[in-house]
Amino acid sequence: MSMKSAALAALASAYRLNGLEAVPSIVRATKPEFGDLQCNDIMRLTKAAGKTTRELATSIAVAARNDVFDDVSVAGPGFVNFRLSDETIAAEATAMLRDPALGVEKEAPIRTVIDFGGPNVAKALHVGHLRSFVIGESLRRILAEIGHDVISDIHLGDWGLQMGKLLYGAATASGWQHGDPVPFIKLFSFDEMSVEELGMLYKSGNAATEDDTALAVARSLTNMLQDGHPILTAAWKRMREISVDAVSATAERLGAHFDLFLGESDAHSEVAPMLDDLVSRGLAHESDGALVIDISDEGLPENVPPLLLRKSDGAALYGTTDLATLRQRARDIGAQQIIYCTDDRQALHIGSVFSAARSAGYAHGIELRHVTFGTVRGWDGKPFKTRDGSAASLGDMIELALAKAAEKVKVEDSATAVGLGALKFADLSIPRKTGYVFDIDKMTSFEGRTGPYLQYAYARICSILDKAASAGIVPAAAVSVSHPLERAVLVECLWYPHSLSEAARQLEPFEIAERAYQVADTFSRFYADCAVLSGEDPPGRLATCKLVAQVIGKCLELLGMETVRRM
Ligand code: ARG
């Protein structure tokens, strides 16, 4: 039974007794002096009942009383407040302590694909990818924890004109100036090439193709590649591998897991049949020589342009690939939900793809969701840059965090976990749509809403438990409530299942970060006032410590952070 369900059940029978047909709702009480839970329904139900709000609230409160609660009372104009009894709290906390899932009831599994940001081949991972990786990974863990069947796909940007530009850069680097560039694309030149060198090829290709003649060459290289030209395909594979290796290394460092390393190129074979399908059903039509699909502006700005599917020169576009990928995910993976984890600048693009997919019938029975997020800024308010003024690479940001942690953390073995934890927690401890300033000192501080604060809280409890163990004191098998602050910290723990289901429903890891922080912060107040090992009931208080460690540990795991036992 969750915190809410006991109160909901009591309300449901009180409503029935009072002849109300409404389905009750309950929220956490806004202030602890009001109790633990609060019902705000009565003001809206009064009219139908033919009583004053206060009268109705009072008879509901009286009817809802049972021994789960110490008190059910009316406050203000007609709020009904519930205060759980200490026995209820102790019983719920004990059940939680014994349950590896910490009281979470799994939901019916939904087959979910997470599209993880889609970094482009030959471009360095940058600050935007930090958020895709960190938020995406946390959502992957949250959704799996609540019982869904999650498949994560990196969705590499490995197709289209950008590949032609890259090949153009590769030919130029081997001395090509004019004529046929293909003989200048030498496979051996990619042996031992670093991802930075590959990035230089793309940069030079991209700069050179500002010129129209050069751009035409890049276009024809793109077309040849997409038609399966053997040398270009082999070169492209090598370059893709270099990028995949680099992305995998960074992802591994950050603890982000991709089940699939597919990319835009994997949708290529789907494009022609999909366009045939759309044309034959009259959904796609010609417009100025191009093929487009109209989209409705529901949830999008007014007069959104149609989604371009094929340009007049025959080239497929970004939206075409996304639509084709969506169709594949529905058919081959059986996706029931697809989550796109990219920043808010892609909102129009992703929204247009969703709309096209719905009108084409490709999204039938599939929930499509765009998890947007705000920008990581520097002090100047612009996207975060490194000291030399260039856009920060993800590698730079990781290095900064690790270096700061190494300065601050005494236990060497823990420094990496703390540095990465600081970086991740800073990203997840605010609602994702909000951007934030990349402030390395603040995020690595041991105080406030930070990763190190939480990792430290966890480590401290571990050391209390270790100390007890070496003195032969074992935590009690049942939790008890012996002090108001012990009650308070247990209540914070009991909200965990609710936070998890909200995090999953809103696709919002912040709910978990906030739960961890509230538990840790209340614990530190409890620990400051209540003796554990030297008090009257060490085993009882140790049981509380153990539950707190379990909840904080689980939250950190769901945020993709490592716990350390010493720091
Ligand atoms: N490759 C794109 C880019 O960097 C992002 C792709 C996002 N994912 C997607 N399914 N469109 O710029």
Side-chain angles (χ1 to χ4, degrees):
M1 189 172 52
S2 78
M3 295 271 286
K4 280 167 78 175
S5 51
L8 284 172
L11 275 174
S13 79
Y15 282 11
R16 240 177 291 120
L17 281 172
N18 281 275
L20 299 176
E21 297 205 347
V23 180
S25 69
I26 198 101
V27 292
R28 186 165 185 176
T30 42
K31 290 200 186 116
E33 49 278 27
F34 294 161
D36 299 305
L37 298 145
Q38 139 181 355
C39 167
N40 303 338
D41 292 345
I42 310 302
M43 282 71 86
R44 130 181 98 71
L45 299 175
T46 306
K47 231 191 199 151
K51 289 187 188 169
T52 69
T53 307
R54 197 75 205 180
E55 276 166 6
L56 181 60
T58 307
S59 47
I60 295 291
V62 170
R65 280 184 194 143
N66 65 40
D67 54 13
V68 170
F69 309 105
D70 262 356
D71 191 23
V72 184
S73 59
V74 178
F79 301 107
V80 180
N81 293 329
F82 294 78
R83 193 181 150 79
L84 295 162
S85 71
D86 288 356
E87 292 71 33
T88 303
I89 289 173
E92 293 288 313
T94 300
M96 196 175 203
L97 180 70
R98 293 175 186 172
D99 176 7
L102 299 175
V104 169
E105 281 169 37
K106 297 236 190 265
E107 293 180 0
I110 299 174
R111 203 161 171 77
T112 302
V113 173
I114 302 188
D115 184 311
F116 245 90
N120 292 330
V121 164
K123 287 196 211 157
L125 292 173
H126 56 72
V127 7
H129 297 115
L130 172 73
R131 301 214 75 190
S132 298
F133 284 19
V134 170
I135 295 172
E137 176 61 19
S138 181
L139 290 176
R140 192 182 74 76
R141 294 176 185 217
I142 287 168
L143 295 173
E145 185 71 17
I146 209 152
H148 300 322
D149 175 13
V150 190
I151 298 118
S152 54
D153 178 14
I154 182 74
H155 195 68
L156 276 193
D158 63 355
W159 212 231
L161 184 57
Q162 49 181 345
M163 294 301 106
K165 291 180 176 177
L166 180 58
L167 290 165
Y168 187 102
T172 323
S174 316
W176 172 73
Q177 284 172 336
H178 46 75
D180 183 2
V182 175
F184 286 81
I185 294 174
K186 306 231 164 42
L187 292 185
F188 66 80
S189 70
F190 303 112
D191 293 348
E192 321 222 331
M193 183 179 275
S194 70
V195 70
E196 289 77 21
E197 289 167 313
L198 189 65
M200 298 305 289
L201 295 186
Y202 175 77
K203 272 195 191 143
S204 76
N206 190 38
T209 50
E210 300 260 313
D211 168 74
D212 283 349
T213 330
L215 186 62
V217 175
R219 284 230 159 85
S220 86
L221 287 168
T222 309
N223 291 339
M224 286 195 284
L225 171 67
Q226 299 195 339
D227 290 340
H229 187 290
I231 293 174
L232 298 186
T233 303
W236 169 81
K237 278 199 176 135
R238 294 270 177 100
M239 296 193 282
R240 192 185 189 279
E241 266 164 29
I242 297 170
S243 282
V244 167
D245 288 347
V247 172
S248 311
T250 308
E252 198 169 316
R253 210 159 180 210
L254 282 175
H257 172 79
F258 308 121
D259 296 305
L260 303 174
F261 262 90
L262 296 177
E264 295 173 355
S265 62
D266 292 287
H268 183 65
S269 60
E270 185 81 17
V271 169
M274 178 185 78
L275 295 183
D276 288 346
D277 173 56
L278 292 173
V279 170
S280 71
R281 290 192 292 139
L283 289 160
H285 61 89
E286 296 272 334
S287 163
D288 294 331
L291 190 68
V292 303
I293 178 167
D294 289 326
I295 55 184
S296 86
D297 45 20
E298 202 183 319
L300 293 170
E302 242 175 85
N303 303 322
V304 260
L307 188 70
L308 251 179
L309 294 172
R310 192 177 56 212
K311 290 205 294 187
S312 46
D313 67 2
L317 290 119
Y318 183 31
T320 327
T321 316
D322 264 323
L323 196 57
T325 304
L326 195 155
R327 196 173 179 233
Q328 278 178 330
R329 286 172 174 161
R331 187 192 53 222
D332 302 344
I333 305 186
Q336 297 167 295
Q337 170 166 248
I338 312 178
I339 293 170
Y340 294 75
C341 203
T342 64
D343 71 26
D344 43 16
R345 285 169 301 181
Q346 304 240 4
L348 186 61
H349 168 75
I350 304 266
S352 303
V353 171
F354 287 0
S355 170
R358 288 190 188 108
S359 56
Y362 297 159
H364 192 73
I366 305 178
E367 177 105 41
L368 298 173
R369 301 179 70 181
H370 185 195
V371 168
T372 61
F373 43 81
T375 314
V376 184
R377 301 180 304 268
W379 290 112
D380 58 0
K382 305 216 176 87
F384 182 68
K385 296 192 181 62
T386 43
R387 234 178 297 166
D388 63 4
S390 55
S393 77
L394 182 48
D396 294 336
M397 300 172 87
I398 295 175
E399 288 316 321
L400 275 172
L402 292 183
K404 254 298 177 255
E407 273 172 34
K408 294 188 176 183
V409 177
K410 285 183 228 94
V411 181
E412 215 179 298
D413 291 348
S414 303
T416 304
V418 174
L420 295 175
L423 196 64
K424 292 177 199 175
F425 195 80
D427 204 275
L428 299 172
S429 57
I430 40 148
R432 59 177 160 77
K433 288 192 182 145
T434 318
Y436 63 93
V437 171
F438 190 82
D439 180 346
I440 195 71
D441 289 309
K442 193 172 143 202
M443 66 177 73
T444 54
S445 164
F446 281 57
E447 268 145 54
R449 276 180 170 73
T450 69
Y453 172 78
L454 284 163
Q455 284 166 316
Y456 180 72
Y458 180 85
R460 182 161 74 163
I461 303 171
C462 290
S463 83
I464 300 168
L465 292 166
D466 288 348
K467 207 167 147 196
S470 52
I473 313 173
V474 181
V479 181
S480 52
V481 178
S482 65
H483 187 280
L485 283 169
E486 186 169 37
R487 183 188 195 280
V489 72
L490 292 172
V491 166
E492 294 302 336
C493 290
L494 291 179
W495 279 101
Y496 162 75
H498 176 74
S499 298
L500 179 67
S501 75
E502 280 304 296
R505 190 177 67 80
Q506 304 171 40
L507 302 177
E508 183 62 277
F510 158 73
E511 292 286 335
I512 298 294
E514 189 59 16
R515 177 68 14 239
Y517 179 75
Q518 294 303 340
V519 171
D521 195 47
T522 316
F523 177 80
S524 76
R525 290 193 288 127
F526 157 73
Y527 192 62
D529 270 31
C530 300
V532 173
L533 295 180
S534 58
E536 275 177 18
D537 176 21
R541 295 232 161 128
L542 281 172
T544 295
C545 292
K546 194 173 155 196
L547 177 62
V548 168
Q550 286 176 357
V551 174
I552 297 178
K554 176 65 85 179
C555 289
L556 294 184
E557 179 194 319
L558 294 176
L559 298 173
M561 293 164 64
E562 274 178 49
T563 51
V564 292
R565 292 187 74 89
R566 277 168 13 100
M567 62 187 271

